[in-house]
Amino acid sequence: MSDREFSGADDLSLPKATVQKITTEILQSSPGVAFAKDARDLLIDCCVEFIKLISSEANEIAENEAKKTIATEHIDKALRELGFPEYVQEVLASAGEHKEALKVGISLLEVLPMRDADSLQGHEKRKNKGNPGGLTDEELAAQQAELFARATEKYNQGTAA
C-alpha cells in the first residue's frame, strides 16, 4: 500500500439512511426478512474498509505511474490486483454512465434505473421540483427557446437605440 495511511478513521462513514435504503430495496424480494441496525452498522464498516483498500491500492498504482490523480484505470487495475476482477465490468459501466451524465448535465441518479414504484415516485418528485407545471422536457425546451429569443430581441433593440 501507499506510504500515506488513513488518519482519523473514526470519522469515515457512509450515510446510514442510504445504506438502509439500499438494503431495504434488496430485501424486498424476501418478505419477512429484516436488516438489524447492528448488521447495517457492520455493513457500513465493511464498505468503508473496502473503499479504503481499493483507494489505497489505486493511489499506489497512480504514484507508481507518476500520476497525481487517481483515474478510472487505476481503480480497474486495483480491483484486478486485489482479486476482485468480477467488479471491474460493473464499476467501468457505472463510471461510463456517470461520465455521460456529466456531459449532458444531469444527475447520476437520473441515469441509474429505479427498482420500484416508490423509488420512481420519489425520483419524479425530485425531478419535477423545479417544474411545478409538470411540463415535458420538450415543452420546457420550447419555453426556454422562446425566452432566449425574447431576451435576444430586447438586447438587440437596446443596442440599436
Side-chain angles (χ1 to χ4, degrees), residues 20-124:
Q20 187 68 44
K21 183 177 181 208
I22 292 169
T23 55
T24 302
E25 286 180 10
I26 291 169
L27 293 177
Q28 282 182 346
S29 61
S30 304
V33 177
F35 208 81
K37 288 182 181 180
D38 59 337
R40 179 202 59 207
D41 293 342
L42 179 60
L43 179 64
I44 289 171
D45 290 343
C46 291
C47 291
V48 169
E49 287 303 314
F50 182 74
I51 291 167
K52 289 186 338 185
L53 175 69
I54 301 301
S55 59
S56 292
E57 185 68 22
N59 184 52
E60 186 175 309
I61 292 167
E63 286 178 350
N64 290 342
E65 295 178 5
K67 304 286 184 182
K68 293 187 179 205
T69 303
I70 296 173
T72 306
E73 54 268 15
H74 300 129
I75 301 294
D76 177 343
K77 207 178 225 185
L79 286 167
R80 291 178 194 281
E81 288 182 10
L82 291 169
F84 300 106
E86 64 274 12
Y87 293 120
V88 172
Q89 185 177 1
E90 185 71 28
V91 167
L92 294 178
S94 293
E97 289 172 357
H98 180 66
K99 190 174 182 179
E100 288 301 312
L102 290 175
K103 283 182 183 177
V104 294
I106 60 173
S107 164
L108 183 58
L109 292 174
E110 294 179 42
V111 175
L112 297 175
M114 294 293 152
R115 291 194 169 107
D116 61 17
D118 292 336
S119 294
L120 184 58
Q121 288 171 353
H123 172 69
E124 288 300 319

